[in-house]
Amino acid sequence: MELNLKNPLIFFDLETTGMNIAKDRIVELSYLKVYPNGKEECKTLRINPEIPIPAFATAIHGISDEDVADAPTFKSIAKNLAKEFEGCDLAGYNSNRFDIPLLAEEFLRADIDLDMRKRKFIDVQTIFHKMEQRTLSAAYKFYCSKELEDAHTAEADTKATYEVLKSQLDRYSGLQNDVAFLANYSTFTKNMDFAGRIVYNEKEKEVFNFGKYKNRPVAEVLKEDPGYYGWIMQGDFTLDTKKVLTNIKLREFNKK
């Protein structure tokens, strides 16, 4: 089944120095841009992360320090990349938990404030886990009846994710061929920040989604325990999380 699109939909995958959204960096980014008229564009970029690539990461994706020594930094390509992503909805595999938060963090480090919150996000892994509980390679074999060649290369994973989503739409009559529906279905929580540290509860109030104040309203916590804000701002949290928390703090201050 071909996708029913109102905006271009970008499938993308990242290979990185590790899994820490706040500290790790992108070493390869591949994206497949699908237009409403069916046109497709694919591009893969190697990126110098400006920090050493750990051996365990190289063992997974095969990219070493030498491979990216002459590659551009993310900051040098950020402006052009933002133009490519502007106005597009996004899709990936485990993208809501990892790829989108890390990409947002890289843009913020590059001083590019791309407002991705206006976009819709489809996480193919979430759809798969709700339906079948498997991995990407298993999903590709299950839905597409193919073996995933070159797994853990950004381009192969990106193209496989695109094929899996189309096959999911063919298989499940309950899935609507609509980006808004798929974005909503592939989300477990309604996040304020990309890392999911601050979320909306069932009453549409902003609450913390971790730690000792989990499920407590953010505004309430900041009023009762002002030092918690400073702890987060000094802690190992993403720039995006800190930005969202600061916006809430300023909003509450201006209410006084």
Side-chain angles (χ1 to χ4, degrees):
M1 182 182 294
E2 294 305 310
L3 300 180
N4 179 23
L5 303 178
K6 295 179 181 178
N7 303 311
L9 179 61
I10 290 182
F11 291 81
F12 77 103
D13 186 70
L14 307 178
E15 302 302 336
T16 67
T17 59
M19 300 297 292
N20 187 313
I21 294 169
K23 293 183 177 180
D24 281 305
R25 303 290 190 270
I26 298 170
V27 298
E28 185 175 81
L29 183 153
S30 185
Y31 65 89
L32 176 63
K33 192 171 186 177
V34 184
Y35 292 83
N37 65 4
K39 177 185 174 183
E40 299 175 12
E41 294 177 351
C42 185
K43 191 169 186 178
T44 299
L45 304 168
R46 284 281 175 90
I47 299 169
N48 186 331
E50 301 183 275
I51 62 173
I53 302 174
F56 75 85
T58 298
I60 293 173
H61 50 55
I63 302 172
S64 66
D65 292 329
E66 293 75 17
D67 294 326
V68 294
D70 297 323
T73 63
F74 188 89
K75 188 168 187 175
S76 70
I77 67 169
K79 190 172 292 186
N80 287 335
L81 190 63
K83 290 180 181 178
E84 284 293 316
F85 277 58
E86 185 66 41
C88 300
D89 296 316
L90 303 177
Y93 197 86
N94 193 34
S95 49
N96 283 357
R97 288 186 173 186
F98 182 71
D99 299 85
I100 287 173
L102 183 54
L103 183 63
E105 196 72 0
E106 289 278 35
F107 275 124
L108 286 173
R109 277 192 285 264
D111 296 321
I112 302 293
D113 192 8
L114 178 63
D115 190 1
M116 294 196 295
R117 288 183 176 82
K118 294 180 179 179
R119 310 271 49 97
K120 297 179 179 65
F121 307 138
I122 299 175
D123 193 328
V124 174
Q125 184 193 60
T126 302
I127 295 174
F128 186 34
H129 283 181
K130 284 186 175 181
M131 296 294 188
E132 304 294 345
Q133 307 291 312
R134 302 282 178 85
T135 63
L136 177 57
S137 294
Y140 193 58
K141 185 174 183 179
F142 181 84
Y143 289 110
C144 306
S145 301
K146 301 175 185 177
E147 296 292 337
L148 179 54
E149 304 286 340
D150 300 321
H152 294 299
T153 63
E155 185 170 332
D157 288 357
T158 295
K159 290 181 176 179
T161 300
Y162 175 42
E163 290 189 49
V164 167
L165 178 58
K166 292 194 292 183
S167 295
Q168 286 174 330
L169 288 168
D170 286 328
R171 181 176 289 266
Y172 303 116
S173 59
L175 290 180
Q176 298 177 24
N177 191 353
D178 176 80
V179 170
F181 173 87
L182 294 170
N184 182 64
Y185 188 81
S186 60
T187 303
F188 284 109
T189 59
K190 188 175 180 182
N191 295 352
M192 277 288 293
D193 64 328
F194 292 117
R197 297 290 194 171
I198 301 172
V199 302
Y200 288 107
N201 64 13
E202 66 280 357
K203 296 180 180 179
E204 293 296 306
K205 282 192 173 183
E206 302 134 339
V207 298
F208 285 110
N209 194 35
F210 71 99
K212 65 180 180 180
Y213 292 124
K214 186 172 182 178
N215 297 324
R216 288 279 306 279
V218 175
E220 182 180 290
V221 170
L222 294 179
K223 183 177 180 180
E224 293 180 6
D225 185 359
Y228 200 61
Y229 171 80
W231 177 76
I232 290 177
M233 297 303 290
Q234 295 299 318
D236 186 19
F237 295 90
T238 66
L239 295 175
D240 178 61
T241 299
K242 294 174 182 179
K243 179 182 176 183
V244 169
L245 184 62
T246 298
N247 287 341
I248 296 173
K249 181 180 175 67
L250 290 173
R251 182 195 68 201
E252 294 302 309
F253 178 80
N254 289 330
K255 286 182 179 179
K256 296 178 181 180

